[in-house]
Amino acid sequence: MEIIKIENLKKTFKDVCAVNDVSLTINEGETYGLLGVNGAGKTTIINILSGLLKKDEGEIYVNNMKIENINEIKRIIDISPQVTSVASNLTVLENLTFFQSLYDVKDEAYLNYLIEKFSLKEVLNKKAKTLSGGYQRRLSISIGLISKPKILFLDEPTLGLDVISRRELWKIIKELKGKMTIIITSHYLEEIEALCDRISIMSKGKVIVSGTIEDIKRDVNETSFEEAFIKVVGGE
């Protein structure tokens, strides 16, 4: 069952068409990847779906609601943005409890679950600004889960992290698979390949191809996802 449907979406900034006639569907419970080089339009789509930007043209349905009903949609979505969204002068615990109060979530057991799931116990009393990049991303994603969203947007979730921190976050994201719909933007090919059920490859605001990674590799006659990606984007 589809939970997000996008039809002929367009978004222009001055003379730059950031999203150009994009159509795609995302199914409930799947982890869906938006992949492309810088400027492909991935983050713009996430920002429109989450209500941070308004579309210029096209239709969007989220959980059978038109995107114009964004206040209702915001009740079932959350986002961990590309720029880590934490209050830098608050401790980890203060960040978590602040967002609990913001979302009016009174669930101590769930808060403790997030602290344990993201291995935050040892840094609970440290200010967010003193954390490593890996811990800041963990905190940002855990904040995104506080509202118990039906749809979670992860915009470049491991950008700038070292290999170990990246793999630790992959493990956490894999454990969330099937429990909610997750939309990931990334230009790390191995990340998309490791985490996503289906993907769309974007270039210059357009979706070039959509499907499973295996389908895409087969369609372009490549055994390597990297080679398939280069062929798809290069042959646009």
Side-chain angles (χ1 to χ4, degrees), residues 80-87 133 135-141 143 155-157 159 161:
S80 177
Q82 188 175 130
V83 178
T84 304
S85 60
V86 298
Y135 271 115
Q136 287 200 12
R137 294 305 298 178
R138 289 185 191 197
L139 177 57
S140 180
I141 296 174
I143 287 171
D155 191 8
E156 302 285 358
L159 182 66
L161 299 188

Side-chain angles (χ1 to χ4, degrees), residues 72-130:
E72 290 300 313
I73 290 171
K74 284 181 177 180
R75 297 177 186 273
I76 63 165
I77 67 172
D78 216 320
I79 182 170
S80 177
Q82 188 175 130
V83 178
T84 304
S85 60
V86 298
S88 60
N89 284 318
L90 297 183
T91 67
V92 170
L93 183 58
E94 287 168 343
N95 266 279
L96 293 169
T97 54
F98 168 73
F99 280 95
Q100 263 199 318
S101 64
L102 191 65
Y103 290 116
D104 196 26
V105 176
K106 300 178 178 69
D107 190 337
E108 196 69 23
Y110 184 62
L111 178 63
N112 290 332
Y113 163 79
L114 291 176
I115 290 169
E116 180 179 351
K117 176 62 67 179
F118 287 86
S119 301
L120 295 172
K121 191 172 184 178
E122 63 187 72
V123 295
L124 273 182
N125 296 314
K126 290 187 176 181
K127 287 190 175 182
K129 65 183 179 183
T130 69

Side-chain angles (χ1 to χ4, degrees), residues 16-27:
V16 176
C17 189
V19 179
N20 188 3
D21 199 28
V22 165
S23 296
L24 58 88
T25 59
I26 298 171
N27 296 322

Side-chain angles (χ1 to χ4, degrees), residues 10 66 69-70 92 95 101 108 114 122 141 143-144 157 164-165 167 173 176 192 199-200 212 221-222 227 230:
K10 291 186 179 180
K66 295 190 75 169
N69 299 318
I70 191 61
V92 170
N95 266 279
S101 64
E108 196 69 23
L114 291 176
E122 63 187 72
I141 296 174
I143 287 171
I164 301 300
S165 297
R167 291 301 176 95
I173 294 169
L176 296 173
I192 294 291
I199 69 169
S200 287
T212 68
N221 196 30
E222 293 288 351
E227 293 302 322
I230 291 170

